[in-house]
Amino acid sequence: MSIVDLVIEERAASIGNFMVGRLIPFRQKRTVGPFAFIDHMGPIAVKDHDNLDVDPHPHIGLSTLTYLFEGEIMHRDSIGSVERITPGAVNWMTAGKGVVHSERIPEDIRQEKPDSILHGLQIWIALPKNLQEVEPLFVHIEAKDLPSWQEDGVSYKLIAGEALGRKSPVPVYSPLYFIEIKSTKRQKISIGSGLFGESAMYILDGAVYSEGHSYEPKHILIANDSKLCEFELEANSTVYIFGGEPLLEERYILWNFVSDDIQRLEQAKHDWINQNHEAFPLIPQDDKSYVPFPEGMKSFKNKERK
């Protein structure tokens, strides 16, 4: 990526029952466009863990995007959505004023396919200020419905947003893009003219070469200028380009909550600790457990989710 401003290495983080690779936020770069949080989960074998389920937990002020490379997850939420996500599809959940959801390994996978691998990305996209308190929404987009194309031995997929002359059916709330690029041979990529705002690249597989430097998997490259997005991909590489127009106000993160208003974060924390079901309704058919607010995070001290 031309004129690389910052290189971020993936860091290990726990989200309860298993470890993930935390990509952003990072001390030097907390958001890229409206992208506020990205976790790389797995690859992890179902048989190696007694429980990969994530119990009901809350969100406000953001949309979540779940994108799997391998494995399956059963999604349930407090607006009644029940959806099985499979590789290449998109689960898009807008929390708005408050939503609760769970993510569980489907029972048939756990019982019949214990050698299955769970591997994917979980992403938070902050909502614009005037939409932070919208009604919750859930949309599932099948893999076949995402714009996909090939050019010179390179495969492209526009997972969300609008860029490169295409538009994804995922209903985003601000100008952004999330693009998958896969190479079968060493290839120069120049897509800056189709991008805008802030831009970053995550290297999943293979290698990237730019301005005399090489970059390996599990790194994010933050661009100084998205319009100068030019790099070389090694054969059999997979990268993700994401970004867009930055939001006007700074966003703060407290656990699973995102807002430009610290007091709103504190209210959400109070509502969850006290199990206020008007603020955070129960999930139909999945209301027997929940993820408690983390000990040691009783007041707003840090902008980064722990």
Side-chain angles (χ1 to χ4, degrees):
M1 180 170 285
S2 291
I3 312 196
V4 174
D5 183 48
L6 182 65
V7 179
I8 299 174
E9 186 173 6
E10 185 174 307
R11 295 107 58 217
S14 174
I15 61 168
N17 294 321
F18 62 104
M19 298 299 291
V20 298
R22 180 67 36 86
L23 306 178
I24 58 172
F26 187 76
R27 186 171 292 105
Q28 292 169 268
K29 188 64 178 173
R30 297 194 173 277
T31 57
V32 177
F35 288 77
F37 179 92
I38 301 180
D39 267 352
H40 175 201
M41 57 180 179
I44 189 167
V46 172
K47 67 179 180 181
D48 291 340
H49 292 262
D50 293 334
N51 185 11
L52 290 177
D53 294 348
V54 180
D55 286 340
H57 57 283
H59 293 288
I60 66 164
L62 56 84
S63 294
T64 64
L65 189 158
T66 302
Y67 186 78
L68 297 181
F69 312 133
E70 297 180 80
E72 299 184 16
I73 292 175
M74 185 64 74
H75 165 100
R76 287 184 171 84
D77 63 42
S78 55
I79 55 178
S81 312
V82 179
E83 189 66 58
R84 186 173 181 133
I85 183 169
T86 55
V90 171
N91 266 16
W92 176 265
M93 183 185 72
T94 297
K97 67 180 185 179
V99 75
V100 181
H101 75 132
S102 64
E103 299 157 295
R104 303 189 182 280
I105 300 298
E107 279 304 315
D108 61 313
I109 297 291
R110 199 188 309 276
Q111 299 297 326
E112 302 169 17
K113 300 178 181 179
D115 290 328
S116 294
I117 300 296
L118 182 63
H119 189 198
L121 295 174
Q122 293 196 308
I123 297 166
W124 296 358
I125 299 171
L127 292 171
K129 182 179 179 66
N130 65 325
L131 296 175
Q132 289 182 119
E133 299 295 324
V134 297
E135 292 293 327
L137 172 74
F138 177 82
V139 176
H140 179 82
I141 306 293
E142 295 289 354
K144 64 181 178 60
D145 296 323
L146 297 172
S148 302
W149 67 101
Q150 291 196 347
E151 294 178 11
D152 299 324
V154 178
S155 298
Y156 296 84
K157 181 187 291 185
L158 182 61
I159 297 170
E162 190 168 358
L164 307 178
R166 273 87 171 176
K167 184 175 182 179
S168 166
V170 175
V172 302
Y173 295 88
S174 62
L176 62 87
Y177 45 85
F178 182 46
I179 307 163
E180 178 184 82
I181 305 178
K182 295 186 174 185
S183 65
T184 56
K185 61 181 181 180
R186 184 155 175 164
Q187 181 76 35
K188 184 176 180 180
I189 308 291
S190 183
I191 58 173
S193 62
L195 303 181
F196 55 88
E198 297 180 330
S199 189
M201 174 199 298
Y202 175 60
I203 306 168
L204 179 67
D205 295 310
V208 169
Y209 307 99
S210 177
E211 300 175 319
H213 300 281
S214 64
Y215 302 97
E216 303 298 325
K218 297 189 176 182
H219 284 85
I220 280 186
L221 311 182
I222 308 292
N224 244 334
D225 185 346
S226 63
K227 293 296 183 184
L228 299 175
C229 184
E230 185 175 288
F231 54 92
E232 247 186 296
L233 274 185
E234 183 58 88
N236 302 314
S237 294
T238 301
V239 300
Y240 292 86
I241 306 289
F242 63 94
E245 297 295 345
L247 300 175
L248 296 178
E249 311 82 15
E250 184 174 8
R251 288 302 184 273
Y252 305 105
I253 300 177
L254 178 63
W255 191 42
N256 295 324
F257 310 131
V258 174
S259 180
D260 69 324
D261 183 348
I262 290 174
Q263 292 305 311
R264 179 66 180 96
L265 297 176
E266 294 289 345
Q267 181 62 54
K269 176 195 71 176
H270 181 270
D271 287 337
W272 185 249
I273 289 173
N274 289 283
Q275 285 296 285
N276 178 349
H277 297 314
E278 290 189 9
F280 292 116
L282 294 170
I283 300 175
Q285 316 261 312
D286 194 353
D287 59 359
K288 305 304 181 187
S289 62
Y290 66 91
V291 178
F293 193 87
E295 290 294 329
M297 199 185 293
K298 297 303 184 185
S299 62
F300 189 86
K301 297 178 180 178
N302 195 313
K303 297 177 186 176
E304 183 173 347
R305 177 185 186 237
K306 296 183 178 179

